[in-house]
Amino acid sequence: DGGITQSPKYLFRKEGQNVTLSCEQNLNHDAMYWYRQDPGQGLRLIYYSQIVNDFQKGDIAEGYSVSREKKESFPLTVTSAQKNPTAFYLCASSLTQGAIGYTFGSGTRLTVV
Amino acid sequence: EDQVTQSPEALRLQEGESSSLNCSYTVSGLRGLFWYRQDPGKGPEFLFTLYSAGEEKEKERLKATLTKKESFLHITAPKPEDSATYLCAVQAIIQGAQKLVFGQGTRLTINP
């Protein structure tokens, strides 16, 4: 079955550490996205990629980095510069960047310890 | 400013008690309005897409409607398994790029 796989489901980070969240899709979608979700707030866009080797900052990119070396993969690194990283992170994809409708992964919950 | 606002933030109903959730938006260049269901600790699950004012879509106990400024998600005779957070999102052209802008969600609880 086609879909988006995010791993790990739960991740714990110590202060000052960088951590990388994985997102893999087998939908043959060109565009991929990372969102952050905090309690009582809507999903906020961190980064998006329209095509391999290209990505753009979203609304809250500070303290995060991404890469898009393969069509199927769009990993997100939460760096030590992100002051409040505890959140639920969601990866999504769409056929193209302008396509109607996104497919979401099941999310990664990151907690700073 | 492009914005999507959902109300109420939380809603508690008895099983069988019908109600509506609201999503109001102030974006230009609307390409579509989406409703998603999200269970705790999971990703959003697609429910409906609406494209133009006057459009309606139904799925089981849910019915979504769209006007020029807002959308409603009507829930008829809900069951406990309908308990979830319902997210509204609009896809629009913002600063020259296609973006999906989300509301903060309505947390719905159906008591048996």
Side-chain angles (χ1 to χ4, degrees):
Chain A
D1 287 338
I4 298 179
T5 301
Q6 289 188 242
S7 62
K9 188 171 177 63
Y10 299 97
L11 186 58
F12 297 90
R13 191 194 93 167
K14 293 182 180 179
E15 294 279 355
Q17 270 186 343
N18 292 353
V19 290
T20 298
L21 284 60
S22 170
C23 177
E24 303 278 333
Q25 55 100 356
N26 61 1
L27 299 166
N28 201 33
H29 285 175
D30 282 328
M32 297 186 74
Y33 313 83
W34 275 106
Y35 285 89
R36 170 180 172 139
Q37 187 175 32
D38 294 284
Q41 295 193 42
L43 278 66
R44 292 181 290 167
L45 183 64
I46 304 172
Y47 268 98
Y48 65 99
S49 168
Q50 300 184 56
I51 200 167
V52 174
N53 292 323
D54 177 73
F55 48 83
Q56 309 293 329
K57 292 182 178 180
D59 301 317
I60 55 165
E62 186 176 349
Y64 300 98
S65 66
V66 293
S67 63
R68 186 87 187 277
E69 297 176 1
K70 298 187 300 181
K71 187 175 185 177
E72 301 80 16
S73 178
F74 191 40
L76 174 74
T77 296
V78 184
T79 75
S80 57
Q82 171 48 240
K83 297 306 177 188
N84 185 23
T86 295
F88 190 52
Y89 291 87
L90 286 160
C91 179
S93 71
S94 63
L95 192 59
T96 64
Q97 200 270 330
I100 294 291
Y102 294 8
T103 300
F104 282 87
S106 56
T108 292
R109 183 165 301 282
L110 173 63
T111 304
V112 173
V113 295
Chain B
E1 181 185 347
D2 299 302
Q3 206 166 9
V4 179
T5 304
Q6 291 187 246
S7 61
E9 289 188 13
L11 181 62
R12 190 177 292 269
L13 301 172
Q14 290 298 120
E15 184 173 1
E17 181 184 0
S18 302
S19 188
S20 298
L21 313 183
N22 177 262
C23 172
S24 62
Y25 60 93
T26 55
V27 298
S28 56
L30 178 73
R31 295 200 67 221
L33 185 142
F34 301 83
W35 282 98
Y36 289 88
R37 170 191 170 125
Q38 187 177 25
D39 292 303
K42 296 189 177 181
E45 174 189 339
F46 171 78
L47 292 173
F48 303 108
T49 306
L50 301 167
Y51 295 99
S52 57
E55 190 174 359
E56 299 183 351
K57 289 194 176 173
E58 288 188 66
K59 180 181 179 180
E60 296 181 354
R61 295 176 292 281
L62 300 176
K63 178 180 174 180
T65 62
L66 181 64
T67 71
K68 287 188 177 180
K69 292 297 181 187
E70 59 190 353
S71 176
F72 291 94
L73 184 66
H74 305 279
I75 303 176
T76 302
K79 299 181 178 181
E81 53 262 41
D82 294 321
S83 297
T85 295
Y86 290 85
L87 301 173
C88 170
V90 296
Q91 191 159 2
I93 299 171
I94 299 170
Q95 297 175 334
Q98 295 275 357
K99 290 189 178 179
L100 197 62
V101 181
F102 283 84
Q104 78 277 27
T106 293
R107 190 172 63 256
L108 177 65
T109 304
I110 309 298
N111 294 316

